[in-house]
């Protein structure tokens, strides 16, 4: 299948994750300011997946419109490069990983963590997926928008909340 560069866009900073679905491994991730993420996009030539915003009829603010603008910039850069890309809604992510449209971010993040082996150790010496600096797990350093980007990557790869390919 190849690597997937997934993006959870924000008005100033965006989460990203480069995921290898063939080996079920995170290659790179972060939450840089958008200008720095644009440099990463310029240097990547594989498949992209971008979380898109969907209207649910509720009032939104300036931040949401700025995020839409940023998504459009990323999309245009990817199209100009001629790379394959997919737009994925948060609703699609929730249904894919949690099997419920009512899932919250905490549910999605937990579903992501549940898919990875607990190979790190927490402060109490118990196995966990994040781990500590000394005993790192496969998702060590993940937080916020990086989790969302990984959830987008998993959805794009067709990996559901049970770890099966949908």
């Amino acid at each position: 299948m190849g690597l997937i560069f997934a993006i959870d866009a924000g008005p100033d900073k965006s989460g990203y994750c480069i995921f290898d679905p063939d080996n079920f491994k995170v290659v790179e991730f972060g939450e840089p300011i958008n200008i720095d993420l644009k440099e990463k996009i310029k240097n990547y030539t594989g498949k992209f997946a971008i979380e898109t915003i969907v209207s649910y009829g509720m009032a939104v603010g300036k931040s949401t419109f700025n995020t839409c603008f940023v998504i459009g910039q990323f999309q245009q850069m990817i199209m100009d490069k001629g790379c394959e890309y997919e737009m994925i809604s948060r609703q699609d992510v929730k249904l894919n990983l949690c099997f419920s449209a009512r899932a919250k971010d905490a549910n999605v993040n937990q579903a992501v963590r549940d898919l990875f082996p607990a190979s790190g150790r927490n402060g109490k010496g118990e196995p966990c997926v994040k781990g500590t600096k000394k005993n790192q797990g496969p998702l060590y350093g993940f937080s916020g928008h990086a989790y969302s980007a990984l959830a987008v990557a998993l959805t794009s790869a067709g990996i559901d909340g049970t770890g099966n390919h949908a």
Side-chain angles (χ1 to χ4, degrees):
M1 173 177 264
L3 301 178
I4 300 170
F5 189 125
I7 301 169
D8 175 35
D12 303 310
K13 295 186 337 180
S14 296
Y16 81 97
C17 175
I18 300 175
F19 180 69
D20 178 354
D22 297 325
N23 296 303
F24 207 82
K25 181 179 178 185
V26 174
V27 176
E28 183 180 327
F29 69 94
E31 195 173 343
I33 60 172
N34 288 332
I35 193 79
D36 291 341
L37 185 56
K38 287 178 182 179
E39 284 302 313
K40 289 191 177 294
I41 290 170
K42 282 182 191 176
N43 295 319
Y44 183 79
T45 57
K47 180 183 177 183
F48 290 85
I50 305 171
E51 185 172 318
T52 189
I53 293 177
V54 178
S55 171
Y56 295 104
M58 302 296 290
V60 296
K62 183 177 179 181
S63 174
T64 301
F65 286 108
N66 287 343
T67 299
C68 291
F69 180 71
V70 168
I71 290 169
Q73 289 178 329
F74 292 158
Q75 185 180 18
Q76 187 64 55
M77 287 179 68
I78 294 164
M79 287 181 357
D80 289 347
K81 291 165 54 84
C83 290
E84 179 185 354
Y85 74 96
E86 179 179 12
M87 304 300 287
I88 297 175
S89 72
R90 190 65 175 169
Q91 181 98 341
D92 291 337
V93 169
K94 290 176 179 183
L95 288 170
N96 180 61
L97 294 174
C98 301
F99 309 106
S100 171
R102 293 178 178 226
K104 304 292 183 205
D105 287 347
N107 304 114
V108 172
N109 293 349
Q110 186 62 54
V112 168
R113 285 191 295 273
D114 289 346
L115 291 173
F116 287 84
S119 59
R121 300 273 178 204
N122 65 16
K124 299 175 187 173
E126 301 163 332
C128 70
V129 74
K130 286 183 83 171
T132 62
K133 187 173 184 176
K134 187 176 179 180
N135 266 315
Q136 297 179 10
L139 299 183
Y140 176 75
F142 263 79
S143 64
H145 294 285
Y147 270 118
S148 296
L150 178 52
V152 170
L154 290 164
T155 301
S156 176
I159 300 169
D160 69 17
T162 64
N164 294 322
H165 283 73

